Amino acid sequence: EIMLQQTQVRTVIPYWERWMQALPDVPALARAPEERVLKLWEGLGYYSRARNLQRAARLLVERGAAVPDTVEGLLELPGIGRYTAGAIASIAFLRPAPILDGNVIRVLTRLFALGGDPKASRLNARLWTLAEDLVEAAASTADPLACSASNQGLMELGALICTPKDPCCGECPLEPHCRGRALGRVPRLPGGSRRATAVPLRRVVVVAEHRGRRWVRQRPADAVNGGFWEFPERDLAEGSEALQVAADWLGTSPSRFEALGQVRHAITRHRILLDVLRLRGAPRRGAAMSARWVSPQQLAALPLTGAHRRIARRFLGRSAATR
């Protein structure tokens, strides 16, 4: 469930399988080095989820406690909010706990023809009430798995049938009861706030090689992707040349660099273009950047940010970024 926050099931499955092989239980996660945890999470994004998951495991071990089986107990753990608590309580422990993720929001707003922004407090409260009514109705049946089945059914309905675009209304078991369908409002539901304007950014990344080693640095713990490793990078002002900026930054001649290519990626609303340069030999400056030289094997074992893992695979070979 933690992995599935803001990530699709088909993406999560191989990560989950590798994770369970390496860290099969709560004590194993609690005692694992953070760098190992981040390496296993590498590529899933939203890395605070991994840190909070380990914090929760360590808290449970300190208490000598099992994973809580109630929403109230789960909400006391780091990184678990109302949706995740409801999903774990209902699916793992068969509790009548409501859930409300993007898929369920889409199903409920269309089923009950509820316009407006689902994040707005009044509509959000209404949706939680509807989700609670549904799971409590499931709990009133004789089926002990009803709460789990009901919540998972709503999520699957939203993921496979009641999709954001081109929903398969003719295949939906709720179609006869859907007010949004009857009113012709399905394509406009749910409503939402206007998306933030994308902000373009450009950076230069230096892949330095010296005596068979690579030059990398660790991001500060309080920064975005904190604790992950990357090839040193620097912002580029509009109109600036990557080669000249890198040369000035590292105190060396532009002729020592080779342009490898560009990599695009996004973080929240930022659309980032990375100009990747290769530097043969050691830079003259940069010791204050907390950078260090690592072997290809060490590089493969380090957790790299998503964009820099792509750089390693594309320009250094797949084995340089995986282990």
Side-chain angles (χ1 to χ4, degrees):
E1 283 301 327
I2 303 296
M3 285 185 173
L4 285 169
Q5 292 173 358
Q6 299 173 295
T7 309
Q8 295 181 336
V9 173
R10 63 175 177 268
T11 300
V12 160
I13 289 173
Y15 283 93
W16 182 82
E17 290 174 342
R18 286 194 294 271
W19 179 283
M20 294 306 297
Q21 288 178 352
L23 305 173
D25 53 35
V26 171
L29 173 57
R31 64 176 176 261
E34 183 182 273
E35 204 163 80
R36 176 62 171 154
V37 173
L38 294 177
K39 183 65 178 178
L40 288 166
W41 204 275
E42 181 187 73
L44 272 178
Y46 300 97
Y47 296 106
S48 61
R49 295 180 297 173
R51 289 193 182 85
N52 283 330
L53 188 57
Q54 186 172 48
R55 287 174 58 206
R58 288 174 174 171
L59 185 62
L60 291 174
V61 169
E62 288 173 7
R63 294 175 176 176
V67 176
D69 62 358
T70 65
V71 169
E72 294 76 17
L74 289 162
L75 286 173
E76 294 180 0
L77 298 178
I80 294 185
R82 188 176 181 183
Y83 160 73
T84 303
I88 295 171
S90 63
I91 297 171
F93 299 110
L94 309 180
R95 302 282 189 178
I99 60 168
L100 196 66
D101 69 349
N103 288 322
V104 177
I105 286 172
R106 191 163 52 253
V107 171
L108 295 182
T109 56
R110 290 172 174 176
L111 182 62
F112 295 97
L114 300 174
D117 183 358
K119 295 180 181 179
S121 57
R122 180 175 296 182
L123 180 54
N124 191 259
R126 174 80 188 282
L127 291 169
W128 274 110
T129 297
L130 289 170
E132 187 171 12
D133 291 343
L134 289 171
V135 77
E136 288 183 352
S140 68
T141 69
D143 184 355
L145 302 178
C147 296
S148 172
S150 176
N151 280 346
Q152 291 189 78
L154 283 172
M155 289 189 285
E156 287 296 286
L157 193 63
L160 303 178
I161 302 295
C162 196
T163 52
K165 295 181 180 180
D166 303 318
C168 305
C169 294
E171 301 176 25
C172 180
L174 298 181
E175 192 269 345
H177 312 285
C178 182
R179 294 186 62 192
R181 170 79 161 167
L183 296 172
R185 296 177 58 192
V186 166
R188 300 192 298 277
L189 296 170
S193 55
R194 186 175 298 176
R195 286 189 176 184
T197 303
V199 177
L201 295 175
R202 189 169 164 234
R203 293 174 180 157
V204 58
V205 177
V206 175
V207 179
E209 300 174 84
H210 183 56
R211 297 178 180 176
R213 293 176 174 263
R214 320 291 188 188
W215 198 44
V216 293
R217 67 180 180 184
Q218 189 173 30
R219 293 186 62 81
D222 58 352
V224 175
N225 295 334
F228 276 73
W229 292 80
E230 64 184 7
F231 303 105
E233 67 177 32
R234 173 160 287 200
D235 289 339
L236 290 174
E238 186 175 355
S240 62
E241 293 292 333
L243 279 171
Q244 191 60 55
V245 169
D248 294 342
W249 169 32
L250 300 177
T252 190
S253 168
S255 63
R256 293 183 60 200
F257 294 94
E258 173 193 356
L260 295 179
Q262 295 180 318
V263 170
R264 297 179 185 273
H265 74 115
I267 298 178
T268 60
R269 62 193 182 96
H270 297 98
R271 303 296 177 262
I272 305 168
L273 177 64
L274 302 177
D275 286 87
V276 185
L277 306 179
R278 188 197 308 274
L279 173 64
R280 297 292 186 182
R284 295 176 186 170
R285 291 200 295 263
M289 299 169 54
S290 300
R292 78 183 195 195
W293 294 96
V294 298
S295 68
Q297 294 77 17
Q298 290 171 321
L299 178 63
L302 292 175
L304 299 176
T305 61
H308 287 250
R309 188 180 70 258
R310 288 167 54 199
I311 289 172
R313 287 177 174 174
R314 180 174 168 186
F315 301 117
L316 302 178
R318 178 170 292 272
S319 61
T322 58
R323 179 175 173 181

